[in-house]
Amino acid sequence: MDTLVTTAPAPARTAAPAAALRRLYFVRFAFAAVWAALLFATADTLGPLSATLLVIYPLFDVACAVVDVRSAAADGGPVRHLYLNIALSAATAVGLALAATSGIPAVLRVWGAWAVTAGLVQLVVGVARRRMGGQWAMIASGGISTLAGVSFAAQAGGADASLKTLAGYAFLGGVFFLVSALRLGRAAKDA
C-alpha cells in the first residue's frame, strides 16, 4: 500500500504540466495559422498592417513563454531557457519595429537572428522535456528554425526578399506545435 501512495502522485504531477503544455501548443498552432494567413495576404508590401503583424508575433511568443514558465515552475521543470526565450522575443519585437522602417531585408535579418537563437532555445527545452513525451516535434522544430534563420539572413541580401517566407515559416512552426500537442495527448493516454 505504501508503494501505491508514494508512486501515485508522480504521474499526476507530470500529467498536469503536460496537459497545460498541450493546451498551450494548441493555442500556438491556431495563432500561427491565422497569423501566417494574414501575413501572407499582406506580404507584398511592408505596410502598417504587415509591420504590426511582424511585431505581434514575437510578443505573442513572450506571452506564451510566460504561461509556459508558470506551468513549468509549478512542476519544478526547466525554466531558465524559457526566461532566455522571453528576453529574445521581447528584444525581437523591438528590433522588428525598428527594422520595419528600413524595409523587408532588415526585417528578414532581424527575424533570421531570432529564428536562429529561439530555435536553439527550443531545441534545448525540447531535449530537457523529452521525458514528458511529444517533444520530438519541438526538437525538430528548433533545429529547422535555426536553419531557416540562416536562410532568412541570406535571403535578405538577395533580390527575392519577401515576407511570404516568414508566413510559411510561422505556419510550419504551428504545425510542429500541433503535432507535439497531439503526441502529448497520446503520451498521457499511454501513461
Side-chain angles (χ1 to χ4, degrees), residues 35 39-40 43 104 108 111 148 151-152 155 160-171:
W35 184 91
L39 185 66
F40 192 81
I104 292 174
L108 289 173
W111 195 285
S151 76
F152 296 145
Q155 183 189 19
D160 62 340
S162 170
L163 297 177
K164 288 182 180 183
T165 58
L166 301 183
Y169 164 81
F171 183 74

Side-chain angles (χ1 to χ4, degrees), residues 2-190:
D2 287 338
T3 305
L4 291 176
V5 172
T6 57
T7 58
R13 185 175 176 190
T14 304
L21 194 58
R22 184 172 190 246
R23 285 189 301 274
L24 180 63
Y25 286 177
F26 278 129
V27 168
R28 291 190 74 143
F29 163 71
F31 176 83
V34 170
W35 184 91
L38 290 172
L39 185 66
F40 192 81
T42 62
D44 291 333
T45 61
L46 184 55
L49 180 57
S50 57
T52 301
L53 286 169
L54 290 167
V55 173
I56 286 173
Y57 197 93
L59 291 177
F60 180 77
D61 193 60
V62 167
C64 289
V66 168
V67 169
D68 199 353
V69 163
R70 289 181 181 161
S71 176
D75 185 49
V79 295
R80 179 179 44 156
H81 292 99
L82 295 172
Y83 284 121
L84 177 59
N85 187 52
I86 291 169
L88 287 170
S89 295
T92 299
V94 172
L96 286 169
L98 296 172
T101 64
S102 297
I104 292 174
V107 166
L108 289 173
R109 285 184 189 97
V110 171
W111 195 285
W114 180 44
V116 168
T117 55
L120 291 172
V121 170
Q122 186 178 25
L123 182 70
V124 169
V125 171
V127 168
R129 287 180 166 165
R130 70 185 178 279
R131 71 176 174 17
M132 289 177 103
Q135 294 303 301
W136 68 265
M138 292 295 92
I139 294 167
S141 179
I144 290 169
S145 180
T146 302
L147 296 174
V150 172
S151 76
F152 296 145
Q155 183 189 19
D160 62 340
S162 170
L163 297 177
K164 288 182 180 183
T165 58
L166 301 183
Y169 164 81
F171 183 74
L172 180 61
V175 169
F176 278 111
F177 279 114
L178 176 63
V179 169
S180 198
L182 295 172
R183 297 290 299 163
L184 279 168
R186 179 175 285 162
K189 287 179 185 177
D190 292 344

